Amino acid sequence: MNKLVLELMRRHYPDVRPLVKREPCIWINNRTVKNGWLLNHFDVEDARARLEAFAPFLERAFPQEVKASKGIIESPLVEIPKMKEELNKVFGTDLRGRLMIKLDSHLPISGSVKARGGIYEVLKYAEDIAIKEGLIKEGEILQDYGRFFSDEFKKVFSKYKVAVGSTGNLGLSIGIISAALGFDATVHMSSDARAWKKDKLRSLGVKVVEYEDDYGKACEEGRKQASEDPKCHFVDDEASLDLFLGYAVAGKRLRIQLETSGISVDKNHPLFVYIPCGVGGAPGGIAYGIKQEYGEHAHIFFVEPVDAPAMTLGLMTQLHNKISVQDIGLSGLTHADGLAVSRPSALVGEIMNNMLNGALTVKDEDLYIYLAKLYEQEKLLIEPSACAAIGSPWNIEDCDEYLLRESLMKKLDKATHIVWATGGNMVPKNEMRQYLETGKKLMSGKTLNELE
Ligand SMILES: *Cc1c(COP(=O)(O)O)cnc(C)c1O
């Protein structure tokens, strides 16, 4: 460890210590403010309108996926009472309030949370090109983009490139939507990305470039190659505002779903949302969108693997992307491949600094156990990364420090807890079967080390 890190460790020792020891922990953000967020600073409404304009295009390009929803990419929000009962037994305490799951694992088109931000960013780029090339005129902006589904548009887009660095799901989303629009797409992937994702992309005519190093390297190389080509758009997971805005549209959509289900969120009915976090874009955007709707009545927590708590470490130390999990002796390697990130997004870290309520870490073993239990109890299949937040409601309900500070003790019976399931629907059956097997073995007391 270098000198800077040693000094940091001294300064933030009580906070950083459990991270260094790989112990599951809760970090409460003491920098939250009730006013003065960067809310309304970024135009989420504009992103929402753009997705609506593109809905007729999506309906034509992906009829099987989004015909029923008229081209809107959204996922169900459902209550999971059996899972709640099961986890009450595991944790030895009854969770108060309602437990729900947000099934972004089942988002149409690409089966993960990346179908929000990733698809949005490529659509936005397509619009920019269409304007630049004169395919749409001044008065036609944000009006019925169904005609993007045409050979005329495709022919123009084929002269342009889209590139992305990805641990997997972002690459899938970008690749699928880029291919549908006609872009020449390249996905730069770390070698630990799942083979089926690479196969799927190649089958769509997307170029896949693999890197031995971790995700950060894949991203860096992709960014460099793209920067040398003016006709290439690089989707920058670590710094893209468009990605962030695409994710943020989830906030208003969630409000509508809650209202439709007759669920209140206000001073006396707190909302708790727990979201798996990698580089931070997806959970950050979603958190931003939800805070715009509910402000301080929404309590939002990110959840990361004990081996890759990049965002938590960055926020704790205020060093954001200037510190990596390797700097405190962690590997950054985790079975949660969607969360295997060593440094957080600086953009998101800054926005979340005064907004996010806290973060938790979780062991890889628990991901598989939650995965198997969720299938057993609710017949829902999601991927390991997406399971990170499932036990978090119990952890927070046990965190007196937070509940007292926020005067929540007496309101918990009226609380709604939402765990965000971020991916899984595109995982091949045989792969999913292995995840379930692993979960069952771990439930009987084995460790991942013993299984490997
Ligand atoms: C990408 C991803 C996340 C986290 O999103 P970030 O923007 O990297 O923080 C969580 N779960 C799954 C399944 C993902 O693919």
Side-chain angles (χ1 to χ4, degrees):
M1 268 180 233
N2 67 34
K3 259 207 193 121
L4 166 75
V5 172
L6 278 174
E7 171 54 27
L8 261 171
M9 295 282 286
R10 247 191 305 275
R11 222 184 291 169
H12 300 279
Y13 193 63
D15 279 347
V16 177
R17 196 181 114 104
L19 293 189
V20 174
K21 299 198 142 197
R22 303 173 60 245
E23 288 165 2
C25 66
I26 302 177
W27 171 74
I28 302 300
N29 186 5
N30 290 319
R31 290 185 188 84
T32 51
V33 289
K34 298 225 153 61
N35 297 302
W37 290 323
L38 291 166
L39 285 183
N40 304 321
H41 192 78
F42 303 122
D43 205 346
V44 181
E45 185 51 30
D46 179 61
R48 198 201 53 75
R50 184 160 295 103
L51 284 170
E52 201 158 283
F54 270 108
F57 163 76
L58 293 171
E59 209 181 322
R60 281 176 215 175
F62 303 96
Q64 282 174 335
E65 302 272 349
V66 290
K67 193 147 193 82
S69 64
K70 297 198 161 46
I72 297 297
I73 303 168
E74 195 42 73
S75 74
L77 172 70
V78 296
E79 204 162 344
I80 43 171
K82 289 188 198 134
M83 186 65 173
K84 181 178 163 189
E85 222 165 277
E86 176 68 15
L87 290 187
N88 281 343
K89 283 184 230 154
V90 171
F91 286 96
T93 157
D94 287 355
L95 182 75
R96 295 159 64 189
R98 184 187 276 116
L99 180 65
M100 306 188 88
I101 192 164
K102 179 65 176 154
L103 290 170
D104 276 7
S105 46
H106 293 66
L107 274 173
I109 300 178
S110 69
S112 83
V113 69
K114 306 297 193 305
R116 295 184 185 278
I119 290 179
Y120 174 73
E121 172 149 351
V122 178
L123 292 175
K124 170 90 164 40
Y125 179 59
E127 182 193 48
D128 290 344
I129 299 297
I131 293 170
K132 196 176 107 188
E133 294 272 359
L135 292 170
I136 50 176
K137 314 256 174 323
E138 192 71 34
E140 297 167 341
I141 292 171
L142 293 184
Q143 310 293 317
D144 184 357
Y145 283 170
R147 63 212 140 115
F148 277 67
F149 189 72
S150 70
D151 289 341
E152 184 198 2
F153 278 59
K154 264 195 171 173
K155 196 160 156 246
V156 173
F157 292 152
S158 68
K159 291 182 286 176
Y160 289 85
K161 295 178 189 147
V162 174
V164 63
S166 171
T167 52
N169 284 334
L170 182 63
L172 265 188
S173 291
I174 301 290
I176 291 171
I177 189 69
S178 297
L181 283 157
F183 286 119
D184 174 359
T186 304
V187 179
H188 301 266
M189 280 183 155
S190 48
S191 54
D192 58 344
R194 318 294 303 185
W196 66 265
K197 291 181 184 170
K198 300 173 194 171
D199 296 343
K200 166 90 194 167
L201 284 168
R202 289 189 174 118
S203 78
L204 293 170
V206 175
K207 297 185 193 96
V208 177
V209 187
E210 295 179 56
Y211 296 87
E212 281 307 317
D213 303 286
D214 71 355
Y215 159 78
K217 275 278 159 52
C219 225
E220 199 179 298
E221 193 55 37
R223 187 183 291 122
K224 191 171 139 254
Q225 289 180 18
S227 71
E228 290 157 5
D229 183 349
K231 287 204 161 173
C232 183
H233 178 76
F234 181 70
V235 178
D236 194 336
D237 199 13
E238 292 170 355
S240 165
L241 191 54
D242 284 331
L243 267 182
F244 187 84
L245 290 173
Y247 292 124
V249 171
K252 186 160 278 172
R253 303 247 186 100
L254 181 71
R255 173 193 273 279
I256 292 166
Q257 286 184 320
L258 284 168
E259 285 176 0
T260 307
S261 309
I263 296 168
S264 310
V265 177
D266 55 38
K267 192 163 174 290
N268 295 313
H269 300 81
L271 174 69
F272 292 84
V273 184
Y274 310 90
I275 319 171
C277 178
V279 74
I286 293 167
Y288 185 87
I290 294 175
K291 286 283 188 181
Q292 267 195 335
E293 297 300 319
Y294 294 120
E296 63 182 298
H297 306 315
H299 303 266
I300 305 185
F301 296 87
F302 290 175
V303 192
E304 297 184 292
V306 291
D307 291 295
M311 180 62 74
T312 310
L313 179 65
L315 287 168
M316 247 179 210
T317 59
Q318 291 292 291
L319 286 174
H320 303 295
N321 68 335
K322 307 229 166 36
I323 188 166
S324 77
V325 299
Q326 284 80 12
D327 288 335
I328 61 165
L330 300 176
S331 68
L333 300 175
T334 161
H335 285 246
D337 55 354
L339 315 179
V341 167
S342 300
R343 282 178 205 274
S345 153
L347 169 79
V348 176
E350 192 188 314
I351 303 169
M352 288 298 113
N353 217 21
N354 299 322
M355 191 185 294
L356 186 69
N357 296 93
L360 302 93
T361 58
V362 60
K363 288 195 284 188
D364 278 9
E365 272 88 356
D366 291 335
L367 304 178
Y368 288 108
I369 293 176
Y370 295 146
L371 188 151
K373 284 189 185 296
L374 190 64
Y375 180 66
E376 199 180 83
Q377 299 300 322
E378 308 279 353
K379 292 285 169 284
L380 290 171
L381 281 170
I382 66 176
E383 65 186 86
S385 298
C387 294
I390 289 182
S392 306
W394 281 263
N395 300 137
I396 291 299
E397 218 189 50
D398 196 35
C399 181
D400 291 351
E401 181 198 340
Y402 186 74
L403 299 177
L404 288 170
R405 197 188 79 178
E406 300 288 319
S407 311
L408 286 165
M409 286 290 189
K410 293 206 182 104
K411 302 175 185 169
L412 291 178
D413 287 327
K414 293 175 189 151
T416 299
H417 298 271
I418 298 178
V419 294
W420 213 279
T422 43
N425 205 31
M426 289 190 76
V427 176
K429 275 208 180 75
N430 58 338
E431 200 110 346
M432 199 49 100
R433 207 170 294 129
Q434 281 170 20
Y435 291 155
L436 283 170
E437 279 304 307
T438 304
K440 279 185 200 139
K441 285 179 191 155
L442 294 172
M443 275 197 255
S444 65
K446 288 211 163 32
T447 64
L448 275 172
N449 274 338
E450 285 166 353
L451 297 184
E452 270 157 16

